């Protein structure tokens, strides 16, 4: 069961929107390899704004994700792609439906 999550908001630099979208879509295989990442969504919120929502069974899984390859890759390209630093909020998951 998921208990904690992360909600990240990402704002692309003008002209970098499709590169950010491709970066996020390309991160899926990395998320799939993270055992404690129960759910992972990369979403588009508007023309320049994107988001990532992911959830974990516990704080250790959340911490492992924050210290993992997706976060490292995003921060390595932040100056190139992002208009501002990502806003990452730790959240508590109150209820979840995980099966389609």
């Amino acid at each position: 069961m998921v208990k904690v999550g992360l909600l990240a908001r990402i704002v692309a630099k003008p002209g970098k929107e499709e590169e950010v979208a491709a970066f996020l879509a390309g991160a899926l295989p990395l998320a799939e390899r993270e055992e404690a990442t129960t759910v992972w969504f990369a979403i588009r919120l508007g023309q320049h704004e994107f988001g990532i929502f992911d959830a974990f069974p516990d704080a250790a899984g959340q911490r492992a994700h924050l210290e993992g390859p997706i976060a490292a890759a995003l921060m390595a390209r932040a100056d190139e792609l992002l208009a501002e630093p990502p806003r990452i909020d730790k959240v508590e998951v109150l209820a979840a439906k995980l099966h389609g």
Side-chain angles (χ1 to χ4, degrees):
M1 176 167 170
V2 297
K3 297 192 183 252
V4 296
L6 296 168
L7 178 60
R9 290 183 165 282
I10 300 162
V11 179
K13 284 184 177 179
K16 297 291 185 175
E17 298 87 358
E18 296 315 310
E19 286 184 63
V20 171
F23 172 87
L24 292 174
L28 179 59
L30 296 174
E32 289 173 333
R33 287 187 224 137
E34 294 179 352
E35 243 181 81
T37 301
T38 306
V39 297
W40 186 88
F41 295 95
I43 56 177
R44 187 172 209 146
L45 300 166
Q47 182 180 352
H48 304 289
E49 191 170 6
F50 298 83
I52 299 171
F53 174 76
D54 34 29
F56 316 90
D58 55 32
Q62 184 185 56
R63 188 172 45 259
H65 179 72
L66 284 170
E67 296 170 357
I70 296 172
L74 180 61
M75 295 316 295
R77 297 196 61 199
D79 287 343
E80 171 194 353
L81 298 176
L82 306 183
E84 59 191 54
R87 185 177 130 204
I88 302 171
D89 295 314
K90 292 181 178 180
V91 299
E92 178 183 2
V93 177
L94 301 176
K97 179 183 182 295
L98 300 176
H99 302 287

